[in-house]
Amino acid sequence: MVRHTYLRAFLAALLALAAATLLTACGKKTRVAEQPAGASRVLVRGNATEPESLDPQVVRGQVEWTIVGGLFEGLVVPDPATMEPRPGVAETWEMSPDARIFTFHLRNDATWSDGRPVTAHDFLFAAERMLSPSLGSALPEDTLFFVQGARAFQSGTTRKFSDVGIRVSDTNTIVFILPRPTPFFASALFNFYPVRRDVIERHGAPFDRSTPWAEAGKLVGNGPFVLTEWTHGRRIVLSRRADYWDSAKVALDAIHFLPMENAQAEESAFRTGQLHMTFTVPFSKLETYRSQPKSPLREVSDKGIYFYTVNIGRNPVSDVRIRRALSLAIDREQLARVVLRGAALPATRFTPPGIGDFDTGPLLRHDPEEARRLLAEAGYPGGAGLPPVEVLFDSREYHRMVAEVVQQMWKRTLGIQTILRNHETQVVIASKNSMDFLLSRGWWNASSYQDPYFFLGSWKTGALYNEAKWSNPRFDAEIEASWTADPVARSEAFRRAETILLEELPVIPLFYSSSATLVSPRVKGLIPKPFADRRLKELSLE
């Protein structure tokens, strides 16, 4: 049963109509995507849903990161084409020969949006805040946990932040000390942004995630844009900062982000000229746009994996035979090629192709007979007696359609019933945090460092992104063995770790994702590479 699906779709359509009305309410009703050159430098984008937050130490989703990356700037930024680290607030940096000490030198002209200079102490405070146990941030798993003592501080094992390997040697120099060789560490800092203690303290406790400082009129950032409006549920407006150190390269005057959970409504808004860019594209429209000359469709592999996390602490999926039966009953080829209209590739393992130089070979397959055998062996022949399997996902057409197809496959192959629970993003996050799910929708992509550890290391015992709460000593040992300077030994450790992960299946991979968006020909500076749309300072309107 899908809860409130049609009502939500109707409300999303009304929201899209209201957002489109806002775009033209203050002047002549010219379609924004077709205004003459020079008439406006305001980019209007669809943004899928309302952001959970714009606090850079709290957010964790694609919806938020694009906006946060316009409001803040880290020590380094990703190259739009190569994803290699490039200077941000740090003008230069050095890595020690053993890849354990990273020293960053800040530029002198980096300032906050209130005019104060950005200092190394701002980054030091941001690190302390991100690692604070009371904040409960999930970000350190992919950023600061590589630093000496960082994990122990967040877990409460040590209460002295001075035990963490981060040092400020002067106003413009910050040093990170790592216990193990981590040559990709600079790239792991893409999502590590500075924040000011005094700014947060004006509105509440600095280490409390509920302190309402990340709002329009309160937020002070150091990025190329400032937050000038956040009308919740309707619109977020970022405006160009004239005093940003690299403002000469910022071509847009403003960017409007409109939350549109319904992909059909968003596509309609683009087609009628109310948007310059969409967040996604309805699968039913992909072939139509692909066949068009000079098509606005942009499709890019984002090195992502779409999966279902399994709450292995709950029956009946606590039985690995049930998990394996569910996985074997999924025809990933049909799901990716036919249902998703070629916008994805069937997953054969968890780590996407092109991440790391190891290859386990295909570890996932479609085998209905083996799936039925395992289900019967677990005591549920033909699905008889098995409680309904619940799948939790966000209220977007994309996730609902995938869930409905998987539901049909499980019914047809195993004879089991599936309950689909779709909620707003914030409700889904809360349900995951309280472990109130059986299976839940997940999606990761290599938005920071391009390394297998990004995907496999997150399933270690106690890891923040291990939403299955899975623990396997053999897997943990292989992840630990991957910390070596020997590339062959490192690849072998990852290969063995992934084999264990997909034997135990605390996660059921479905497909390797790609991004599909519609982009007006007026938008320039958007290259066909993953996450290039996040580099807001690179975008312009012709």
Side-chain angles (χ1 to χ4, degrees):
M1 179 179 71
V2 181
R3 300 180 182 179
H4 311 305
T5 300
Y6 300 108
L7 176 59
R8 291 186 186 278
F10 175 69
L11 292 175
L14 286 180
L15 178 60
L17 178 61
T21 303
L22 280 173
L23 294 176
T24 57
C26 297
K28 184 179 179 181
K29 295 184 178 180
T30 304
R31 305 203 313 169
V32 296
E34 296 181 358
Q35 290 173 343
S40 174
R41 296 199 304 175
V42 177
L43 179 71
V44 185
R45 301 176 55 156
N47 199 47
T49 190
E50 175 78 357
E52 176 188 6
S53 171
L54 294 180
D55 183 331
Q57 266 97 58
V58 170
V59 302
R60 61 178 184 172
Q62 183 181 5
V63 166
E64 292 84 11
W65 280 127
T66 300
I67 302 173
V68 167
L71 298 172
F72 295 89
E73 185 170 76
L75 292 166
V76 293
V77 298
D79 184 283
T82 67
M83 289 296 288
E84 293 296 315
R86 297 288 181 259
V89 177
E91 198 165 24
T92 61
W93 63 91
E94 302 97 37
M95 177 180 71
S96 64
D98 62 358
R100 291 185 54 245
I101 300 176
F102 288 75
T103 304
F104 294 87
H105 305 281
L106 278 59
R107 60 180 69 253
N108 293 318
D109 53 352
T111 62
W112 292 96
S113 55
D114 63 359
R116 283 181 47 173
V118 179
T119 71
H121 294 282
D122 295 327
F123 282 96
L124 184 67
F125 169 68
E128 182 179 4
R129 183 172 184 264
M130 182 189 288
L131 292 171
S132 169
S134 62
L135 192 72
S137 174
L139 295 174
E141 187 69 43
D142 297 327
T143 53
L144 297 184
F145 273 179
F146 299 114
V147 176
Q148 179 177 293
R151 188 182 293 273
F153 179 76
Q154 194 193 50
S155 68
T157 304
T158 177
R159 296 188 178 184
K160 294 192 302 180
F161 182 67
S162 58
D163 290 340
V164 178
I166 306 177
R167 303 288 181 265
V168 169
S169 55
D170 59 56
T171 302
N172 283 1
T173 306
I174 187 167
V175 181
F176 296 84
I177 304 166
L178 284 57
R180 297 175 289 197
T182 312
F184 59 81
F185 177 68
S187 298
L189 296 178
F190 287 159
N191 292 334
F192 173 54
Y193 297 109
V195 292
R196 288 240 307 272
R197 182 173 192 140
D198 64 302
V199 170
I200 301 175
E201 285 184 334
R202 288 174 201 159
H203 309 286
F207 301 107
D208 187 337
R209 67 188 295 128
S210 64
T211 297
W213 72 278
E215 297 281 346
K218 300 177 182 178
L219 186 148
V220 175
N222 71 315
F225 296 89
V226 293
L227 180 64
T228 51
E229 179 188 338
W230 187 357
T231 304
H232 288 269
R234 290 191 176 186
R235 182 171 70 172
I236 291 176
V237 177
L238 273 55
S239 300
R240 179 178 176 271
R241 264 188 68 199
D243 61 343
Y244 170 64
W245 70 269
D246 201 21
S247 63
K249 293 183 181 178
V250 182
L252 294 172
D253 290 328
I255 307 171
H256 293 195
F257 292 88
L258 309 183
M260 293 183 171
E261 292 204 354
N262 185 276
Q264 298 286 350
E266 186 185 37
E267 187 272 340
S268 176
F270 176 85
R271 188 162 29 84
T272 55
Q274 304 305 315
L275 296 175
H276 293 112
M277 297 173 61
T278 67
F279 186 87
T280 187
V281 183
F283 291 111
S284 60
K285 300 293 181 68
L286 284 175
E287 291 300 333
T288 299
Y289 280 109
R290 284 171 182 159
S291 65
Q292 292 179 0
K294 298 181 179 180
S295 175
L297 179 65
R298 302 289 182 269
E299 294 183 275
V300 178
S301 172
D302 57 17
K303 295 184 179 180
I305 179 71
Y306 190 106
F307 57 89
Y308 285 152
T309 299
V310 184
N311 185 350
I312 61 171
R314 286 180 54 181
N315 291 324
V317 293
S318 56
D319 189 330
V320 69
R321 294 170 297 185
I322 301 294
R323 303 198 296 270
R324 290 175 182 169
L326 293 175
S327 178
L328 289 165
I330 298 172
D331 187 342
R332 294 172 176 83
E333 183 75 28
Q334 181 185 19
L335 179 63
R337 304 292 187 188
V338 180
V339 180
L340 302 182
R341 312 293 177 93
L345 294 174
T348 57
R349 52 194 183 110
F350 190 77
T351 308
I355 302 294
D357 56 359
F358 75 100
D359 185 5
T360 58
L363 294 175
L364 299 167
R365 69 185 194 278
H366 178 223
D367 191 336
E369 289 301 321
E370 177 66 5
R372 286 189 282 267
R373 187 192 71 77
L374 285 169
L375 194 64
E377 183 181 298
Y380 305 102
L386 185 74
V389 174
E390 286 191 355
V391 178
L392 174 70
F393 58 94
D394 312 62
S395 295
R396 296 184 222 167
E397 180 202 23
Y398 179 73
H399 305 315
R400 176 179 56 80
M401 184 178 68
V402 171
E404 287 177 345
V405 172
V406 173
Q407 177 187 45
Q408 294 168 8
M409 291 177 177
W410 286 341
K411 175 66 175 177
R412 181 174 62 248
T413 302
L414 301 175
I416 65 176
Q417 299 296 321
T418 306
I419 296 175
L420 305 185
R421 293 175 54 198
N422 65 309
H423 297 290
E424 301 296 335
T425 302
Q426 289 81 358
V427 176
V428 171
I429 291 172
S431 296
K432 288 183 177 183
N433 290 339
S434 63
M435 299 302 289
D436 179 23
F437 70 92
L438 197 68
L439 274 69
S440 67
R441 191 278 308 178
W443 172 69
W444 295 349
N445 60 17
S447 58
S448 54
Y449 58 97
Q450 311 280 295
D451 191 85
Y453 188 87
F454 180 91
F455 292 91
L456 297 176
S458 295
W459 294 104
K460 294 181 305 180
T461 299
L464 294 179
Y465 284 112
N466 183 353
E467 294 176 335
K469 298 296 186 285
W470 176 65
S471 177
N472 185 293
R474 291 190 302 127
F475 178 86
D476 292 348
E478 296 299 347
I479 294 299
E480 189 64 27
S482 72
W483 294 105
T484 172
D486 183 342
V488 175
R490 193 166 190 264
S491 294
E492 281 299 300
F494 283 131
R495 182 187 62 78
R496 292 190 297 269
E498 186 161 54
T499 300
I500 295 169
L501 179 72
L502 296 184
E503 285 175 350
E504 293 295 311
L505 288 171
V507 55
I508 300 176
L510 298 181
F511 53 84
Y512 303 124
S513 62
S514 63
S515 64
T517 57
L518 300 174
V519 182
S520 164
R522 287 192 61 207
V523 178
K524 304 300 178 184
L526 184 65
I527 62 175
K529 294 290 183 178
F531 321 115
D533 66 323
R534 295 190 188 181
R535 296 285 285 141
L536 301 180
K537 63 184 282 186
E538 310 288 343
L539 302 181
S540 64
L541 283 174
E542 188 177 63

